[in-house]
Amino acid sequence: TFKAAAHVCPSEKFTDVDTTQWYHEGIDYVLNNGLMIGTGTTTFSPNTATTRGMIVTILYRLEGEPAVTGGNAFDDFADGEGYTDAVNWAAANEIVNGYGDGSFGPTDAITREQMAAILYRYSAYKGYDVTARADLSGYTDAGEISSYAVEAMKWVNAEGLITGMTDTTLVPRGNAVRAQVATILMRFCENVA
């Protein structure tokens, strides 16, 4: 006799994940690889903004959670937060710079251009090739990219990590929701790392 194999799809347990949507593969990837977890037992919150602390924590996990020495690099969070070691590690390795006023904003929603800059710096830190550049002139909002993020946005776009929200817009200062982040991380791990 034969027994049907159980279909294992990690995102099926989340009632707010539509497995027919564009983000399904990315969410399954980050769940399978321990990069992201749900926001609750039965929720993933695919349309919820991702925080700056979450992004850095994900990269810290990718790095194997190395030991961190020294005090806090920024003055707007305390020791012992879930992201403390990750942010301090990222700051020590020049992956994050904060806002320039001594703060990092770990609970602030991350923008698409901030995510691009962090991925770009992390890739440089890892020694990955960060020389590719896309021509962003076809995007009507390319002029809205902050100066610190222009080269990073050109790189992530060239690598296919962060593409347009539409055929003609990048929305660089828009928040990166969890579904987008999952897909970006899958592309990053499969194509760059």
Side-chain angles (χ1 to χ4, degrees), residues 16-116:
D16 59 353
V17 172
D18 182 344
T19 58
T20 66
Q21 291 298 310
W22 60 269
Y23 56 66
H24 176 229
E25 185 180 0
I27 291 175
D28 279 353
Y29 183 90
V30 296
L31 292 171
N32 276 332
N33 289 283
L35 300 177
M36 294 176 78
I37 58 174
T39 56
T41 306
T42 60
T43 55
F44 185 81
S45 304
N47 297 312
T48 300
T50 312
T51 68
R52 290 164 53 84
M54 286 178 192
I55 295 298
V56 175
T57 300
I58 291 166
L59 295 180
Y60 184 61
R61 287 179 189 149
L62 269 175
E63 201 58 25
E65 299 183 3
V68 178
T69 58
N72 282 351
F74 303 101
D75 59 17
D76 61 341
F77 60 87
D79 288 338
E81 297 291 341
Y83 47 73
T84 299
D85 284 348
V87 174
N88 288 329
W89 162 80
N93 291 289
E94 299 179 2
I95 297 166
V96 297
N97 301 319
Y99 291 129
D101 61 357
S103 69
F104 177 71
T107 60
D108 294 352
I110 194 163
T111 65
R112 290 163 54 83
E113 68 181 7
Q114 289 170 354
M115 180 145 183

Side-chain angles (χ1 to χ4, degrees), residues 129-148:
D129 183 0
V130 293
T131 59
R133 295 292 185 274
D135 177 3
L136 302 179
S137 63
Y139 295 105
T140 58
D141 58 355
E144 296 174 19
I145 301 169
S146 299
S147 59
Y148 76 87

Side-chain angles (χ1 to χ4, degrees), residues 3 11 64 77 98 105 117 179 190-191:
K3 182 178 178 183
S11 60
F77 60 87
E190 291 182 342
N191 301 325

